[in-house]
């Protein structure tokens, strides 16, 4: 095997240059997992192509030699989509980090997949523009990774997810062919392959160029923080605000345990310790219209027994509130050795009921569950806290997360809102899809990735279920 | 053949009842064409199922007997997608016209495919909601047809097209199986079959239930009419308004010839005869913010040499301006015996150049071309005026339209913005897609519609090009 591996590394180096291939075992370990840490795998090699031609040449070579590979951006994904579980070659796009073209008049930018999400908004920000989808990892995650996961963020309630902001893609198919899908002018002809490719988690190829919409920054912003004694009241306030016809740019909620974690972190807001829920609501738009909307939102909170509600008095205060919220996942480290982020979707009106059922699951499993979520669009992020040092607890956390997802599916929701399926939720797919539904998706995969060389064993459940279940059980627990 | 046809009618009647099948030749003639009148075909029968079970039973029967069929809504499509060119059975969904459920709290409605677009907005309008995509045919066209064509409308500049407003679909596959794609809560799991099915023009099956988003009506609206002496000035004003960061709800333009037509129609506005272009711009949002935006827009118009610009003084005035614009296609009948609506997309900034090239094509072909378009998103609707009574003129109009599309493709645009491909533009697909691009789409079709029984011979070019070219030539000319 070592000879085959040497040949592989040599061939890859021939295409991208020897400095752009990693084959040293210690260096490879940095690519064993992504933001999902329950499963791991050491890649055969990591290759860093510099442009579309190099990506195409690498993929052509791997395809010819029948060597499986996994595309990777910044590795911030939360469902394991970039993990080389079976020793695949990792094709890392981070070197392709150039903003190629900005067309302000027609309001789009052309970028390489390794451009960091936040950076694009910073660059066009000088001219008053931004790129809308804003995952919490936006300081690190790449736009290519966002395409793979169809990433969302707090502001997707009002502005939509990645697919709503991508006009066209240059794409290397799993056999190395380069194609263009969509059109920079938003054309709409034939089958929507642009839409089809977005969110396929690396199973249909590798994106090499992206045409994204630019939005004009809203001139007015009002940010409101509302503290509630009861989770049910906060949930009902969320429904009340939306039902009133207010469409906030973002509408976030955290429960008591989540607040405890963030208050122990770098950006404490000073929440009273005895409140059960905080709502963070942001209104944006023309400055003049916001005053009335803010008053209406405050009124709805008062109708639902809010203890305290206030509008951010300054930009630094607003930034503090957002930093506090955006670091919530990482802040779990302040109150637990390990945590598992779950990601489910529910009808907004079922929030109080679902939260009560999650509390029951927590009690039953003996594991604490903190809740952080995009409450406006019903996208829950329950965080299951556990200690991988305690035998069996990792497995129990995985099972607890799966039970939470079952609740989401039961109320007519879904098993992922924005974190993807990856390795983590392959078998949860069966909670919402029939075998025939999955079969159709596999047929689509078969058009471009019949040999399953490109990100194999991800996204769809496989017959050999027991093998993976065992791998999870053996994980870190 | 008559026996086979009798058997067909008998079998269909057994499923839907005898009153819901049309087989009389004179009655069938109403279904020979849709809004595209250049090609025609008499259907073998027209069947009107009442519910999903009947659609499934009809399709299962047709699939088993290998009888091709064409789904149809109100027949307002402009590219011939609902034409039974080779005598297919027409499956007409207009009887399935019930609004099944409205969930205001979670902001969606569940409708059958035969619900007329406008009616949904009227029904939910009482509670302050509406359905956003508003094709000019919205008084007649059905939501099922909108799904088939991924319909747009004047307001899609700001609010997006059909696919942005559809959460889930119940769908009868070409073999009669019933599936659900997407989720009413906007979930995003696995491959996006919901997005894939929308805009497939009846080639992947028949939609039987639709979950659509409801939007809250904007409280404030400002409508501006701007008259220009030169088309170039109006075009530059469009780019100027967008570049300024104003995102109007709609931004429409008509040229001199189009104005002549609408002024001879039911809703004359009183445009001076010597102006070259009119812009109709609508701002919507919170009432308070609109004043400044309107002032900015007026200022941009003045910077670009507008002759006259004014804000609608009343709701009746606003309605008149919109009626004038929305009846523009039909109004061509006032100035020409026949007309062909074209539908292209161009980068907004190329508008002045493209309009100049269209004027040249008009001069060269000897056919007048009126221009009506969604200028904000660069979606052109040139109307080629002709007289089918003059030998050869129909064919010349078709060729002229195709030359206009070539201009759109040449400047980096596309061959259709919202009217679909249907029969009309099958061969224009080759202007923007490589053979491999088309092959991939055919492979997707092959997953569900391998025998091509469901809307055969539409959307994709076929090898036997000459046959269709001849059919066009023989059309009405």
């Amino acid at each position: 095997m070592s000879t085959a591996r040497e040949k592989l590394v040599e061939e890859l180096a021939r295409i991208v240059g020897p400095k752009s291939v990693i084959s040293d075992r210690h260096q490879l370990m940095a690519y064993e997992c992504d933001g999902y840490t329950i499963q791991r795998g050491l890649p055969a090699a990591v290759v860093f192509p510099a442009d579309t031609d190099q990506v195409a040449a690498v993929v052509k070579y791997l395809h010819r030699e029948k060597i499986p590979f996994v595309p990777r951006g910044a590795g911030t994904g939360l469902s394991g989509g970039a993990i080389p579980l079976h020793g695949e070659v990792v094709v890392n796009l981070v070197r392709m980090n150039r903003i190629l073209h900005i067309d302000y008049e027609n309001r789009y930018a052309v970028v390489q997949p390794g451009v960091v999400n936040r950076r694009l908004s910073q660059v066009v920000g000088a001219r008053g523009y931004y790129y809308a989808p804003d995952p919490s990892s936006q300081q690190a995650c790449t736009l290519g990774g966002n395409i793979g996961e169809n990433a969302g963020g707090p502001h997707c309630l009002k502005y939509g997810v990645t697919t709503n902001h991508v006009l066209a893609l240059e794409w290397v198919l799993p056999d190395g062919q380069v194609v263009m899908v969509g059109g920079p002018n938003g054309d709409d002809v034939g089958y929507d392959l642009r839409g089809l490719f977005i969110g396929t988690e690396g199973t249909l190829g590798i994106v090499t160029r992206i045409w994204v919409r630019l939005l004009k920054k809203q001139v007015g912003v009002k940010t409101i923080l509302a503290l509630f004694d009861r989770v049910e009241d906060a949930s009902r306030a969320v429904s009340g605000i939306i039902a009133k016809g207010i469409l906030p740019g973002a509408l976030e909620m955290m429960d008591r345990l989540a607040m405890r974690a963030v208050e122990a972190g770098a950006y404490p807001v000073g929440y009273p310790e005895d409140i059960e829920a905080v709502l963070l609501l942001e209104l944006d738009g023309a400055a003049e219209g916001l005053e009335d909307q803010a008053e209406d939102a405050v009124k709805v909170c008062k109708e639902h027994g809010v203890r305290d509600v206030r509008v951010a008095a300054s930009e630094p205060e607003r930034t503090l509130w957002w930093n506090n919220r955006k670091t919530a996942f990482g802040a779990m480290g302040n109150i637990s050795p390990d945590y598992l982020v779950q990601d489910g979707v529910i009808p907004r009106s079922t929030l109080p009921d679902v939260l009560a059922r999650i509390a029951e699951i927590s009690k039953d499993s003996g594991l604490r569950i903190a809740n952080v979520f995009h409450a406006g669009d019903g996208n829950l992020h329950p965080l299951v806290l556990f200690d991988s040092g305690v035998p069996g607890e990792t497995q129990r956390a995985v099972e607890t997360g799966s039970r939470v997802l079952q609740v989401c599916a039961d109320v007519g929701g879904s098993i992922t809102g924005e974190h993807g399926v990856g390795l983590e939720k392959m078998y949860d797919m069966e909670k919402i899809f029939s075998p025939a539904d999955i079969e159709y998706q596999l047929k689509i995969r078969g058009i471009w990735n019949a040999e399953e060389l490109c990100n194999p064993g991800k996204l769809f459940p496989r017959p050999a279920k027991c093998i993976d279940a065992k791998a999870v059980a053996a994980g870190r627990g």
Side-chain angles (χ1 to χ4, degrees), chain A:
Chain A
M1 194 196 110
S2 124
T3 332
R5 188 138 162 280
E6 274 163 26
K7 181 160 181 295
L8 164 70
V9 171
E10 202 175 285
E11 287 293 327
L12 293 174
R14 208 180 38 78
I15 299 167
V16 299
K19 284 187 182 165
S20 297
V21 183
I22 289 179
S23 58
D24 173 79
R25 193 186 151 78
H26 290 284
Q27 288 185 302
L28 289 177
M29 283 177 68
Y31 300 90
E32 271 189 338
C33 68
D34 55 16
Y36 180 68
T37 56
I38 304 286
Q39 288 169 276
R40 285 160 193 271
L42 199 69
V46 182
V47 58
F48 296 81
D51 56 32
T52 303
D53 288 347
Q54 288 191 1
V55 175
V58 165
V59 171
K60 257 191 196 117
Y61 163 70
L62 296 170
H63 179 257
R64 198 175 57 230
E65 299 293 324
K66 309 294 173 220
I67 298 169
F69 55 97
V70 177
R72 184 183 176 105
T76 55
L78 292 164
S79 54
I83 298 178
L85 192 63
H86 308 287
E88 295 88 349
V89 170
V90 167
V91 181
N92 195 315
L93 284 303
V94 292
R95 267 180 78 203
M96 292 175 64
N97 63 356
R98 284 190 303 135
I99 296 172
L100 300 170
H101 177 61
I102 301 174
D103 183 335
Y104 289 107
E105 196 172 352
N106 292 304
R107 281 210 193 169
Y108 67 82
V110 188
V111 302
Q112 290 187 314
V115 171
V116 169
N117 175 301
R118 182 67 158 268
R119 193 174 139 242
L120 176 61
S121 288
Q122 281 166 343
V123 168
V124 300
R127 291 277 292 265
Y129 290 86
Y130 75 112
Y131 172 70
D134 60 338
S136 290
S137 57
Q138 70 181 132
Q139 309 239 21
C141 67
T142 63
L143 291 166
N146 293 174
I147 296 286
E149 304 294 320
N150 192 17
H155 289 81
C156 70
L157 168 60
K158 181 166 179 181
Y159 293 99
V161 295
T162 299
T163 192
N164 304 120
H165 297 273
V166 171
L167 300 164
L169 301 167
E170 180 188 80
W171 194 269
V172 175
L173 294 171
D175 64 0
Q177 270 191 85
V178 183
V179 296
M180 265 284 296
V181 292
N185 301 297
D187 55 10
D188 161 37
V189 187
Y191 292 176
D192 183 12
L193 297 186
R194 179 206 61 81
L196 178 64
F197 283 3
I198 293 172
T200 49
E201 305 191 8
T203 63
L204 292 186
I206 299 178
V207 62
T208 48
R209 239 186 330 165
I210 311 166
W211 281 252
V212 295
R213 271 182 220 284
L214 300 176
L215 297 191
K216 191 82 180 177
K217 278 196 267 189
Q218 296 290 347
V219 286
V221 175
K222 279 224 182 286
T223 311
I224 296 170
L225 198 70
L227 311 178
F228 288 85
D229 288 320
R230 287 160 26 101
V231 168
E232 290 74 16
D233 290 340
S235 301
R236 294 207 173 89
V238 168
S239 287
I241 286 163
I242 302 288
K244 193 126 191 157
I246 301 167
L247 185 57
L251 178 43
E252 301 285 306
M253 196 195 289
M254 289 188 288
D255 70 1
R256 188 175 190 164
L257 193 53
M259 278 185 279
R260 230 187 87 200
V262 290
E263 289 296 283
Y267 305 101
V269 165
Y271 302 126
E273 274 182 29
D274 60 336
I275 61 164
E276 290 288 345
V278 59
L279 282 190
L280 178 59
L281 175 129
E282 188 156 280
L283 302 163
D284 59 10
E288 299 83 349
L290 293 180
E291 204 68 59
D292 288 353
Q293 282 187 58
E295 267 174 38
D296 281 348
V298 166
K299 209 174 127 195
V300 173
C301 290
K302 286 182 176 166
E303 284 163 13
H304 291 89
V306 71
R307 183 195 292 191
D308 187 21
V309 54
R310 57 197 153 112
V311 178
S314 65
E315 183 59 28
E317 186 169 38
R318 172 181 173 248
T319 304
L320 172 67
W321 293 356
W322 270 114
N323 284 341
N324 176 281
R325 161 60 189 89
K326 286 213 171 182
T327 52
F329 290 1
M332 293 301 141
N334 299 322
I335 58 168
S336 174
D338 297 282
Y339 64 93
L340 185 72
V341 183
Q342 262 310 349
D343 174 40
V345 179
I346 57 171
R348 200 158 36 218
S349 57
T350 64
L351 264 179
D353 177 39
V354 169
L355 288 180
R357 286 159 80 172
I358 290 176
E360 275 168 38
I361 291 171
S362 168
K363 206 171 156 188
D364 185 57
S365 70
L367 296 177
R368 294 173 299 168
I369 303 179
N371 288 293
V372 174
F373 43 76
H374 311 313
D377 45 12
N379 185 189
L380 293 184
H381 293 313
L383 294 131
V384 182
L385 309 186
F386 69 101
D387 182 348
S388 59
V390 176
E393 203 158 299
T394 301
Q395 175 65 5
R396 194 138 48 93
V398 169
E399 285 162 6
T400 301
S402 188
R403 285 177 67 190
V404 169
L405 290 189
Q406 188 63 56
V407 170
C408 297
D410 289 347
V411 298
S414 171
I415 59 160
T416 171
E418 55 183 15
H419 294 176
V421 174
L423 284 173
E424 184 193 17
K425 295 185 180 176
M426 281 162 47
Y427 297 108
D428 293 309
M429 292 283 271
E430 293 164 347
K431 291 189 169 79
I432 56 166
F433 288 120
S434 71
D437 289 339
I438 291 169
E439 195 54 39
Y440 289 124
Q441 297 182 63
L442 290 173
K443 280 186 183 167
I444 291 175
R445 187 178 69 182
I447 291 176
W448 292 283
N449 191 15
E451 299 166 283
E452 222 194 325
L453 294 171
C454 191
N455 217 4
K458 304 279 169 66
L459 194 49
F460 302 108
R462 281 172 301 163
K465 181 166 177 169
C466 53
I467 295 167
D468 290 277
K470 270 186 220 154
V472 169
R476 292 170 61 195

